[in-house]
Amino acid sequence: MVQAIDPTAGDGSTPDVESTRDRILDVAEALFAERGMAGTAVRDIAREAGLTAPSLYNHFDGKQALYDAVLARGVEPLFALITRSDRDVTESEERENTLDAIMDHLASHPNIAKLIQYESLTGGASLSQIVNGWLRPIVATGLTSMENSPGAVWSEDEKPLAVAAWIHVILGHFAMAPLLRELFDVDPLAPEQIERQKRFLRHFAQIMMAGSQDD
């Protein structure tokens, strides 16, 4: 498994430094999603962030370190959300809270879904890193959750397909936002559409988990 990178490690303690790092990460996230890691030059990231390449290297050692930090900021919180447990709520309430939190996080970093889609479509060199370092542990957690669920909804052969369906539904809302915008004449990233998608996912979860004793 790829070692998770703390995107704030070693960034100093001043707000200006943190703001600059966040700006660099925002620009890098968008460019990596559009061009992939191989097609993105550090000088392009620096220019879009209003910096020179040498000044960018004061914050990140190189393009790989920057790419790792983008992934850590975008994907690591998803793992934390999926693996958290709240004993004060029912299983269905916890599932709904987790879905809402995942949508809120991806809405704040919509290019992460596009970045993953880009690497998947192009078979990019970073795809293995994304899968083995980040997505595989998340999927493993999802499969374990299904194993521990009191309702036997899916067969063993269907469980990986059910997890894949969730990946498509959640990431697809952001990765395919331009297509959905053109198709339905709405902005999928608008706050009201994010809330609408949350409601849909709660309903979708009830259908997907039909037969669970908690529901």
Side-chain angles (χ1 to χ4, degrees):
M1 175 176 174
V2 176
Q3 180 67 36
I5 306 296
D6 182 353
T8 62
D11 62 359
S13 58
T14 67
D16 287 346
V17 172
E18 293 176 357
S19 175
T20 299
R21 284 179 60 88
D22 286 339
R23 187 168 75 252
I24 294 170
L25 288 171
D26 288 342
V27 170
E29 183 180 299
L31 291 181
F32 286 145
E34 179 184 349
R35 309 173 187 174
M37 180 179 170
T40 303
V42 170
R43 63 178 178 276
D44 294 333
I45 298 172
R47 182 176 63 251
E48 292 292 330
L51 303 168
T52 63
S55 62
L56 185 147
Y57 284 117
N58 290 330
H59 301 274
F60 299 95
D61 292 338
K63 188 164 64 171
Q64 184 64 58
L66 183 51
Y67 191 84
D68 289 342
V70 166
L71 286 179
R73 187 181 69 160
V75 184
E76 191 171 72
L78 298 179
F79 183 76
L81 289 170
I82 291 172
T83 56
R84 73 181 182 181
S85 178
D86 187 347
R87 298 181 181 274
D88 295 328
V89 300
T90 66
E91 181 182 337
S92 61
E93 288 174 330
E94 183 174 0
R95 184 167 61 241
E96 291 179 358
N97 292 340
T98 298
L99 287 172
D100 284 357
I102 288 172
M103 287 297 294
D104 286 336
H105 175 70
L106 289 175
S108 67
H109 299 286
N111 285 309
I112 282 295
K114 294 181 180 179
L115 187 158
I116 293 172
Q117 182 190 53
Y118 180 95
E119 295 292 347
S120 178
L121 291 174
T122 61
S126 298
L127 182 60
S128 179
Q129 175 189 356
I130 292 172
V131 169
N132 294 309
W134 301 105
L135 296 187
R136 195 181 299 281
I138 291 175
V139 168
T141 299
L143 290 173
T144 299
S145 178
M146 284 185 171
E147 293 289 344
N148 296 332
S149 177
V153 181
W154 305 104
S155 69
E156 289 302 313
D157 287 343
E158 291 172 332
K159 287 175 182 177
L161 301 178
V163 173
W166 275 111
I167 293 173
H168 286 303
V169 171
I170 294 175
L171 293 184
H173 182 80
F174 300 95
M176 301 185 70
L179 182 148
L180 297 176
R181 185 181 297 113
E182 186 73 18
L183 189 60
F184 297 110
D185 197 28
V186 295
D187 180 5
L189 303 183
E192 64 273 15
Q193 294 303 318
I194 296 296
E195 291 303 316
R196 180 171 176 262
Q197 186 71 359
K198 287 180 184 179
R199 293 193 296 272
F200 166 76
L201 287 175
R202 296 185 203 117
H203 188 192
F204 187 63
Q206 292 175 354
I207 295 172
M208 290 281 284
M209 300 299 290
S212 170
Q213 294 178 10
D214 188 61
D215 292 334

